[in-house]
Each structure stands twice: as structure tokens, then as C-alpha cells.
Amino acid sequence: MSTGSAGHGARPLPGPHVRKHGVTREVTGGGTSFRMFLHTADGVRIDSVYNPSAPEKMIVTDTSRPPSRDLVFVIAHGFTGHVDRPHVRRVARVFARYGAVVTFSFRGHGASGGRSTVGDREVLDLAAAVSWARELGHARVATVGFSMGGSVVLRHAALCGEREREREEGDNGLFAGAGAGGPDAVVSVSGPARWFYRGTAPMRRLHWLVTRPSGRLVGRYGLRTRIHHRDWDPVPLSPVEAVPRIAPTPLLVVHGDRDGYFPLDHPRTLAAAAGEHGELWVEPGMGHAENAAPDGLLHRIGDWVAIRAG
């Protein structure tokens, strides 16, 4: 849920992304999960969790072959979420039936450092998580974002595509050390198409939360979300501008027809910008983001990713 406030504009994914600190381990039903802090390219500590796939629960999407163990889902939560929120853990549990899962808290959220820029520099947080997933040995990476995270996965994939084009042209400067490639599939759930949208009451409240000192106090102490006070400078690439640059990476746009934040013109605009490489699902009766996404939808997304991601 990006609003156009807070923070400086993120430049295209400079590296390196991953420095690891504070490792803890815990045994889960599917093996061993790891929790550690990653450091982004601009030096922010990001609280991150790795969960391996649950082999005994993995779903076969193609009966001609067993489920692949090289797939990992990197989950980008919505504004005011964090890695320990129950709805984020529920998403991780469902996707663990299709592959490994990396979850993390965006800057300014939960135990991560820094302050939220509401969709701008968060692209560097996602880049760190994707690089970590690659480091852990996963050949196929799918990024799945919700609301604010939905806008972040679109822009991250677009910037990664620009990096590959620059490499083909012999210019590695912008992305030197950026890591082992972008995502192999992208899913944006309940995301906006454009910045500064104020057409619904929830978005007007969110703008107050982000742009007013009293609102930022509510965010910090009531929602565990520390919000940057600076305006975007420059304004980052908008989601609808990012979408055409993602091709040929498969893209899925998912939106509920009862979303109280962003009406249906947002996902339809994104799908139109995507053209043939994008797919749109409008979900009857669904509201907004992780809380509103039923398990059945998450399973369908997991199945789509398992088939499309390479």
C-alpha cells in the first residue's frame, strides 16, 4: 500500500545484498529452519526466516514427475506486517507444500532495522532475500507479494530485467555484485497499479498514517511499524510502469472483488500492461491481502508457481 511518502528513491539494486548476522535455528516438521539478519545494499538489517519444504506434505502438480526440491518462494508482506504475523506464517505453511519458503520483515517492520519507505527502498530488502535464497542453493525463485509487497515484487522484477539487459549490452556497473539473477516467476496479490491513490477511505487513513507526525506515532507504537518522514525523491517507478519490463518472466496478478483499498481498475490496469506474459485472477468475495487470502487460493498460487517457474 504505497502512498508516496517517506524516504529517498531506491537506485537499481546495487550489491552486494547479503551479509548474515545473528543466526538461530529451530527444528520444524519439515526439517531445520534458519532465522538470521540479512544486510541490504544500503546497510539495513532485515529479519529473515528460511523454511525448507515439507517433503511429507509436498503436492505433485505434474503426475509425470515428482515435486522439485529446487523451488523457493520469497514472500513480501503488506504494510504493517512482519515475519511473525500469523497470516504471514500461514502463507509460509501453505507454500512449504510446494517448495522451500523465505519470509522476512521489511525495513521498519517487526525486528528489522531502518524505517519504512512504504514501497520505495523495500526493493532492496526483497533483493537481499532473493540473493539469500539463491545462496541456499535454490535454482528457481518465485517472489510473491501482498499489497505493498505486491508493488515491491513488480518493481524488483523490472529492475532485475533491466540489469540483465544492461549485462547483454556490456554494462555491469549499475548492478555489479547484485547476485544471481532475478525471480523465475512473480505473483502480486492485492497490489496497487499507481502511486498516491486516495480513492478509498482505507487509503485516505493510510495516507494520514504515513504523512502526519501523529500518524507515524500511531504506526510506531500501535502497529510496530517505524515510518520514514521524508518524501520520495525521486518518485520510484510505478507498478504499472514496471510490469512491461518484467517480460518474459511469468507474472500473475491476483485481486479480490471486495478489496476495500484498491478497486478492480488497479489489477485490470496491471494485467493490460503485462500483455501476453501476464495472467489476472479476480477472486470473488475476497478482501485485501494476506488476511483475506483463503488457503484454497494460496494452494492455487502454489500450483501456478510450481508449473510456471522454469
Side-chain angles (χ1 to χ4, degrees):
M1 292 179 287
S2 234
T3 70
S5 177
H8 294 297
R11 298 302 186 271
L13 306 185
H17 297 306
V18 184
R19 299 198 331 239
K20 300 178 275 287
H21 298 273
V23 179
T24 60
R25 300 186 181 187
E26 57 187 15
V27 177
T28 66
T32 303
S33 67
F34 300 85
R35 185 167 195 151
M36 63 177 61
F37 285 94
L38 311 177
H39 273 210
T40 67
D42 60 344
V44 177
R45 283 172 30 118
I46 300 299
D47 185 20
S48 306
V49 175
Y50 173 77
N51 293 108
S53 59
E56 73 282 0
K57 295 180 180 179
M58 288 191 76
I59 293 176
V60 178
T61 58
D62 181 350
T63 56
S64 67
R65 61 182 181 180
S68 173
R69 299 299 191 270
D70 67 350
L71 174 63
V72 60
F73 294 77
V74 180
I75 309 304
H77 62 73
F79 185 61
T80 75
H82 60 73
V83 73
D84 293 316
R85 292 275 194 203
H87 53 263
V88 175
R89 301 314 325 149
R90 177 176 64 88
V91 170
R93 285 193 299 272
V94 172
F95 288 156
R97 300 184 67 180
Y98 299 85
V101 180
V102 168
T103 48
F104 65 95
S105 297
F106 279 121
R107 62 186 60 207
H109 291 71
S112 289
R115 287 177 286 177
S116 174
T117 65
V118 200
D120 181 10
R121 284 192 171 264
E122 282 74 10
V123 72
L124 300 177
D125 308 344
L126 178 60
V130 169
S131 291
W132 185 39
R134 297 282 189 193
E135 271 195 357
L136 291 168
H138 293 284
R140 299 189 296 154
V141 177
T143 54
V144 184
F146 296 84
S147 192
M148 180 186 77
S151 71
V152 173
V153 298
L154 296 178
R155 190 156 141 260
H156 170 263
L159 293 175
C160 287
E162 288 180 353
R163 177 185 66 188
E164 294 305 319
R165 285 189 287 274
E166 295 221 4
R167 283 178 172 169
E168 289 175 4
E169 295 168 2
D171 181 4
N172 296 327
L174 288 176
F175 294 101
D184 299 290
V186 180
V187 182
S188 178
V189 183
S190 302
R194 54 193 181 275
W195 304 137
F196 312 117
Y197 178 71
R198 292 177 170 85
T200 58
M203 285 305 296
R204 289 190 288 274
R205 289 194 295 268
L206 189 145
H207 276 270
W208 172 82
L209 186 75
V210 170
T211 61
R212 300 297 181 89
S214 54
R216 291 192 292 271
L217 283 174
V218 171
R220 184 180 186 93
Y221 296 106
L223 301 172
R224 289 190 64 194
T225 304
R226 303 172 306 282
I227 305 166
H228 212 296
H229 65 280
R230 296 194 185 106
D231 290 336
W232 284 342
D233 183 19
V235 175
L237 189 73
S238 73
V240 72
E241 292 170 325
V243 161
R245 308 184 190 193
I246 296 173
T249 301
L251 170 64
L252 174 62
V253 175
V254 181
H255 212 89
D257 67 357
R258 295 188 181 179
D259 192 306
Y261 287 82
F262 304 114
L264 289 177
D265 67 298
H266 284 261
R268 288 169 177 160
T269 299
L270 293 174
E276 293 183 355
H277 88 283
E279 189 171 341
L280 172 63
W281 295 355
V282 174
E283 297 298 305
M286 177 182 159
H288 187 70
E290 303 100 313
N291 282 328
D295 285 4
L297 170 61
L298 297 176
H299 281 293
R300 285 193 286 125
I301 292 173
D303 189 68
W304 184 92
V305 166
I307 294 171
R308 300 297 198 281

